Amino acid sequence: RALVGTVVACASGVPGLFFGRASRLGERLSTVLLVAGCACGFFAAALSGGRREAIDLRWPVLDAALPLAIDGLSAMFLMQIFLLAAVGGVYGLGYWSQSEHPENGRKLRLFYGLMTGGMAILAMGDNAFTFILGWEVMAAAAFFAISTEDHDPKVRETGIFYLVVTHVATLALFAIFSLARMSAGSWSWAAIGQTLPASGLGTAMFLLALVAFGMKAGMMPLHIWLPSAHANAPSHVSALMSGMVIKTGIYGLVRFLACLPGMPLWWGVVLLALGVLSGVLGVAFAIGQHDLKRLLAYHSVENIGIIVMGIGVAAIGRSLGRPDLVALGLGGALLHVWNHGLFKGLLFLSAGSVIHATHTREIDHLGGLGRRMPLTSAAFLVGAVAICGLPPLNGFVSEFLVYSGLFRATMMRGEVSWLATALAAPCLALVGALATACFVKVFGAVFLGQARSHHVDHAHESGAWMLVPMGVLAGLCAFIGLFP
């Protein structure tokens, strides 16, 4: 069923190509197919119950096996991929209608569906061929989605830069699986587990994994493509990219580490340090931004840092034989994958509503929108409170788990890792404080006070196609926060 949903989502934009460029029927048919495919895939993943289910396909072109499998980890990512894609697809009917964008509306829907399907194939890929197939479909479709307004030289430059960076990550992926093949004679994920982590080969694979998956995730200092790509893409594309495309890097990193029978302690310390670097610098760069979507993009870097910190705690716990640290670190990290997807998707959709009404992303040109756009204002406020890690919304819960793992790890005074975790805890607190300061500034500048330019003069509340998806994400942020 998940495979059927993936195929339908992939092909959802094709029927629209047979209708006129401004056809409302064509765009609605494409959206119905996308939502139907996403619903099928979502419930298939949800009902799998964490049990491993596998199917082997054949690709006649290469006479190669294409095994697909769902387990607990892939099901968790699949559910969010399909949820965010469906919500963004509905939002696009109001935000990027073909009547307003006849030159590129059909193209955007085609590649939006392909991007969704590519991520789903990646999450189900059980060997190098299927994983890299999904990775490349996702990467190519994301390039075309980012480059939707390709008449703008800046957008074209952003798209090409993204394409170059993502293929550097692909080369690192090829190297990982080639080393596994050389070591164990197989292209499967299981072959990675037959490599001794403490050996030179294991270290090389770990460093390559940091490059490949860290670059896709936007982890500092490999985040160079992310701010401009998220800023220049249509807002529902930015929501899906921030919510799930960059999370495929997290999925790949967790899948890689989970395959290994163990790992050296310094791997966990390196992951924790990279998480701290991404978290602190991501929020620091965000505070200095004047472009609303670019600011949100840097907060993606910040939250990837929080997730990687949790993975680092889990890796340290795995190295020391401490299942409590593994549970807290990995539980916090994977829950934050969900939470960040929800509240960052909500923030990008709310920002898109503001841009749709005012035709500017410059924070300094806005102001007073709370009176003209009260529902968008409320949705943005929910997302802002959640991303700051404040109760009673979902961001607090996952950050609390990571905090708990860090505090527990600091009690291990006999281990060299206690100093790293002792330093990471106040850094995580600093990230939360700076994020709160940043969003107090943004919310006040955009929605409170008086209008500061003519862009606000004719602003009005968005329609139902845009407000309902925002309401769904806001409701889920509250639900997870209240019933963690």
Side-chain angles (χ1 to χ4, degrees):
R1 292 191 297 271
L3 182 58
V4 170
T6 299
V7 171
V8 173
C10 264
S12 61
V14 174
L17 300 177
F18 296 94
F19 292 84
R21 289 182 176 273
S23 170
R24 297 288 290 176
L25 179 60
E27 67 179 357
R28 290 183 178 181
L29 176 60
S30 293
T31 304
V32 167
L33 288 174
L34 176 68
V35 172
C38 289
C40 181
F42 178 90
F43 287 109
L47 296 175
S48 69
R51 299 181 305 274
R52 180 177 169 82
E53 300 176 6
I55 183 174
D56 279 345
L57 304 177
R58 301 293 300 181
W59 190 6
V61 176
L62 295 179
D63 191 28
L66 296 177
L68 300 170
I70 296 180
D71 59 12
L73 181 63
S74 57
M76 196 209 78
F77 280 82
L78 281 170
M79 288 170 64
Q80 192 170 6
I81 288 168
F82 288 125
L83 173 65
L84 289 178
V87 168
V90 173
Y91 179 92
L93 288 173
Y95 180 75
W96 207 272
S97 67
Q98 290 181 192
S99 60
E100 294 179 356
H101 301 274
E103 68 283 356
N104 53 36
R106 295 185 304 179
K107 177 184 79 171
L108 177 57
R109 283 177 174 80
L110 173 66
F111 290 112
Y112 188 89
L114 282 171
M115 184 164 58
T116 302
M119 286 189 285
I121 294 170
L122 180 155
M124 292 187 287
D126 206 30
N127 73 354
F129 291 117
T130 44
F131 185 84
I132 293 178
L133 174 65
W135 182 282
E136 283 296 277
V137 170
M138 172 190 69
F143 161 70
F144 286 109
I146 291 169
S147 307
T148 297
E149 297 182 284
D150 53 12
H151 59 275
D152 186 338
K154 186 177 180 180
V155 172
R156 289 200 304 272
E157 180 182 340
T158 296
I160 292 171
F161 184 55
Y162 163 77
L163 196 64
V164 171
V165 170
T166 197
H167 281 93
V168 171
T170 304
L171 289 174
L173 266 184
F174 276 118
I176 293 170
F177 285 110
S178 297
L179 290 175
R181 167 77 173 183
M182 183 178 69
S183 173
S186 171
W187 293 107
S188 68
W189 279 108
I192 294 174
Q194 298 178 38
T195 305
L196 291 176
S199 66
L201 189 61
T203 299
M205 291 172 67
F206 172 67
L207 295 177
L208 286 167
L210 287 182
V211 172
F213 301 128
M215 194 168 283
K216 178 62 70 176
M219 183 171 61
M220 287 267 187
L222 304 172
H223 70 293
I224 50 177
W225 64 273
L226 191 150
S228 56
H230 288 193
N232 288 293
S235 289
H236 58 304
V237 174
S238 300
L240 187 59
M241 290 190 68
S242 182
M244 278 318 298
V245 171
I246 64 174
K247 304 297 177 40
T248 59
I250 298 297
Y251 171 79
L253 182 60
V254 173
R255 177 67 73 186
F256 170 81
L257 295 175
C259 290
L260 298 171
M263 61 194 70
L265 181 61
W266 69 268
W267 287 20
V269 174
V270 167
L271 286 168
L272 188 61
L274 289 173
V276 168
L277 181 70
S278 295
V280 174
L281 292 185
V283 71
F285 279 114
I287 290 176
Q289 301 303 311
H290 298 276
D291 181 314
L292 181 57
K293 288 182 67 179
R294 198 174 180 88
L295 178 145
L296 294 178
Y298 273 110
H299 278 287
S300 292
V301 177
E302 168 220 329
N303 280 274
I304 287 295
I306 294 173
I307 293 168
V308 174
M309 286 174 70
I311 296 172
V313 171
I316 290 172
R318 184 114 179 263
S319 302
L320 300 176
R322 292 285 301 273
D324 55 334
L325 297 185
V326 176
L328 289 169
L330 196 59
L334 294 181
L335 181 56
H336 205 71
V337 167
W338 258 92
N339 290 340
H340 175 254
L342 295 175
F343 60 63
K344 183 52 69 65
L346 175 59
L347 286 168
F348 268 117
L349 297 188
S350 302
S353 179
V354 169
I355 295 164
H356 189 261
T358 62
H359 305 289
T360 182
R361 303 195 311 243
E362 288 296 318
I363 296 172
D364 297 335
H365 294 169
L366 301 171
L369 288 176
R371 292 186 294 275
R372 298 172 182 266
M373 306 176 70
L375 297 179
T376 297
S377 173
F380 191 94
L381 181 61
V382 170
V385 172
I387 198 173
C388 293
L390 300 175
L393 297 178
N394 58 343
F396 169 77
V397 182
S398 47
E399 289 193 31
F400 178 78
L401 290 176
V402 177
Y403 270 120
S404 299
L406 290 170
F407 289 146
R408 187 166 295 206
T410 58
M411 299 176 187
M412 302 182 299
R413 293 304 180 91
E415 302 290 346
V416 295
S417 59
W418 82 268
L419 181 59
T421 52
L423 293 174
C427 288
L428 182 56
L430 176 64
V431 168
L434 292 177
T436 303
C438 182
F439 277 95
V440 167
K441 178 197 80 169
V442 172
F443 188 81
V446 175
F447 295 102
L448 303 181
Q450 300 296 321
R452 292 188 295 281
S453 77
H454 67 279
H455 290 284
V456 183
D457 293 346
H458 303 291
H460 57 84
E461 189 59 270
S462 299
W465 289 121
M466 296 168 65
L467 290 174
V468 170
M470 290 156 57
V472 169
L473 295 181
L476 289 172
C477 288
F479 178 79
I480 294 178
L482 294 172
F483 304 98

